[in-house]
């Protein structure tokens, strides 16, 4: 069982790294870009024998407590086999 | 049109940050974890009027040239409306 956790900055939170990437991409000639925002991505592999709901619960708890800063970030969990 | 770009370390590349997260999560009592790997995640918003294939091409090109280090990282592009 695997969990993918996506951590993104909340709307309205400044993203200077995203702005820098946007600027670089524009300098490279990509003119159709409206915005680029940077986030984080985690792949959690669980031991065999753990159920889907248990994996989701563990991944959400790890996301909340370790991976995301809830003041400025949102996170989303996806479970796959 | 939006593109999501996922950048992950190639298999076999050491991921000390992932290891540190794994260790923290274990100390918090999550014992069912086999592995945690950290990656990066980018959301690219395109201006209106760009087609799906054009958006995919631009996102892949930006992924290859700006977002990922092809020596140690893989990337994946997903396009959504």
């Amino acid at each position: 069982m695997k969990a993918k956790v996506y951590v993104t900055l909340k709307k309205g939170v400044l993203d200077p790294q995203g702005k820098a990437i946007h600027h670089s991409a524009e300098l490279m000639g990509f003119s159709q870009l409206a915005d680029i925002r940077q986030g984080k991505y985690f792949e959690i592999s669980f031991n065999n024998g753990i159920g889907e709901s248990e994996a989701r619960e563990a991944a959400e708890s790890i996301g909340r407590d370790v991976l995301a800063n809830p003041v400025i970030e949102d996170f989303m969990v996806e479970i796959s086999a």
Side-chain angles (χ1 to χ4, degrees), chain A:
Chain A
M1 196 68 77
K2 278 197 170 187
K4 295 176 179 179
V5 182
Y6 308 93
V7 177
T8 50
L9 286 169
K10 287 186 178 173
K11 267 189 188 162
V13 175
L14 279 182
D15 178 6
Q17 197 168 1
K19 282 269 172 298
I21 296 166
H22 187 174
H23 185 63
S24 294
E26 276 183 342
L27 291 182
M28 288 170 56
F30 296 101
S31 54
Q32 327 92 322
L33 307 173
D35 194 26
I36 298 186
R37 284 180 79 78
Q38 157 137 40
K40 284 176 282 183
Y41 169 64
F42 302 90
E43 283 180 354
I44 305 176
S45 310
F46 292 98
N47 290 330
N48 291 335
I50 188 172
E52 178 169 341
S53 62
E54 208 182 338
R56 179 175 295 277
E57 210 172 288
E60 288 189 347
S61 176
I62 292 170
R64 196 165 40 242
D65 295 342
V66 187
L67 305 179
N69 172 357
V71 177
I72 55 166
E73 291 172 330
D74 288 323
F75 72 97
M76 201 183 70
V77 171
E78 254 177 33
I79 302 286
S80 60

